[in-house]
Amino acid sequence: MRAVRMTAPGVLEQVEVPTPTPGPGEVLVRVGAVGACHSDLHILDAPPGVFPVPITLGHEIAGTVDTPGDGVTGWSAGDRVAVYGIIGCGTCRGCLRGRENECRTVPVGGVGLSRDGGLAEHVVVPASRLLPVGDLEVTQAAPLTDAGLTPYHAIELARPALRPGTSVVVIGIGGLGHMAVQILAATTAVRIIAVDSNVAALDLATRVGAHHVVPAGPDTVDRIRELVGPAPDGADVVIDCVGVDATLTTARGVVATGGRLLLVGLGGGTLPVRPVADEPPTVPFGTSVEVPFWGTRAELQEVIALGRAGLLAADVQTFPLDRAPEAYDLLRAGDIHGRAVIVP
């Protein structure tokens, strides 16, 4: 079968590999669509030894069941499924509480991270990783498994603060950010303020439910402050889907005293936190800072339900499998709006 694999650190190419065979408890899935995620770029850019090589990338996967392995019940050939990509140990405190994204035994990994993923015509996954998607299009189902799940999980963490009439700032209206705006619009009565440097991204934010859009620039904090008021008031929740120095500066500059900072983007920036009474403070008093990771299987089920109800839809650009390297080049250059989805 055809697969797009990282054959050496930083090297992505299409190759021919044998179609895998599912073992006991596993399922062979015919891949219908796989999302291209910024995390894949982090894998490609990682130093040698951090991730296995060669490996088939792709952790946002949807398709149909091809062949169930021995001992698998509940799944039949032709079932339409999405793949929950995390594989925890199953026995630690996090996993036993259903939070495999907080596994305390297995390092960050899973399908497309520490074992072959979905940038191929077929992929083998544990049967426990599958969720039904019903009649949802696979090009929509695939990005829900991360681009939808990750902001949904972040929003769930902040749910107590998302009272009707409060303000939420979403920074970065890309693959995750445009989903965050929709999730907030569908599940809360908050005022949504979207921030991005790209005019097309701000237009997308408006289309999917943002009440205000603010261009990123030297006066971003001042323009947001015009909407949320002066300190110590401000945004009750800030969701940074970028995570570079500039966006983190914006985030801490507009969050309210006692607010929530959710650092979803893995941009590698630094957020200064010092327990001193600076003026202005590095972070307002009472502010909590969290770095959410992916989400739980139960949350993915809820995300899929939002998708099937027509309340959550990815803005997708599709590419055939042989153009996957090009899709990642465009993603790296910032030329993908919404989510790039590869269709084998």
Side-chain angles (χ1 to χ4, degrees), residues 28-88:
L28 179 67
V29 174
R30 181 182 295 276
V31 178
V34 57
C37 179
H38 269 281
S39 297
D40 297 325
L41 298 180
H42 295 313
I43 296 172
L44 286 166
D45 296 341
V50 176
F51 294 97
V53 175
I55 184 173
T56 302
L57 298 185
H59 56 270
E60 292 186 350
I61 307 166
T64 56
V65 171
D66 186 300
T67 308
D70 291 343
V72 172
T73 59
W75 298 107
S76 302
D79 287 345
R80 306 178 78 253
V81 296
V83 176
Y84 176 71
I86 298 173
I87 302 177

Side-chain angles (χ1 to χ4, degrees), residues 209-308:
H211 301 100
H212 304 277
V213 295
V214 176
D219 61 346
T220 301
V221 170
D222 291 339
R223 296 185 65 170
I224 296 173
R225 280 289 176 191
E226 291 174 1
L227 298 170
V228 301
D233 200 359
D236 299 88
V237 177
V238 180
I239 304 172
D240 185 351
C241 295
V242 183
V244 298
D245 286 345
T247 60
L248 293 171
T249 297
T250 296
R252 69 185 182 90
V254 300
V255 69
T257 293
R260 306 283 292 268
L261 291 179
L262 299 170
L263 311 186
V264 175
L266 302 177
T270 299
L271 177 70
V273 179
R274 297 197 310 276
V276 293
D278 286 350
E279 183 57 47
T282 56
V283 173
F285 289 120
T287 300
S288 66
V289 180
E290 296 180 78
V291 186
F293 175 66
W294 225 332
T296 69
R297 279 187 288 173
E299 288 169 337
L300 178 55
Q301 186 178 51
E302 294 166 2
V303 169
I304 292 170
L306 287 175
R308 295 188 66 185

Side-chain angles (χ1 to χ4, degrees), residues 12 14 17 32 50 66 71 88 111-112 128 141 151-152 175 210 212-213 217 229 243 246 249 253 270 295 302 316 343:
L12 191 64
Q14 181 174 303
V17 297
V50 176
D66 186 300
V111 180
S128 61
Y152 186 86
H212 304 277
V213 295
T249 297
T270 299
E302 294 166 2
V316 302
V343 180

Side-chain angles (χ1 to χ4, degrees), residues 158-221:
R159 187 69 65 183
L162 300 174
R163 311 306 300 171
T166 56
S167 297
V168 179
V169 174
V170 180
I171 303 175
I173 311 302
L176 275 65
H178 87 292
M179 302 292 259
V181 170
Q182 293 178 73
I183 294 164
L184 289 167
T187 66
T188 75
V190 303
R191 181 173 58 157
I192 305 166
I193 302 167
V195 180
D196 202 285
S197 60
N198 186 282
V199 173
L202 294 177
D203 289 343
L204 174 60
T206 300
R207 294 199 305 273
V208 299
H211 301 100
H212 304 277
V213 295
V214 176
D219 61 346
T220 301
V221 170

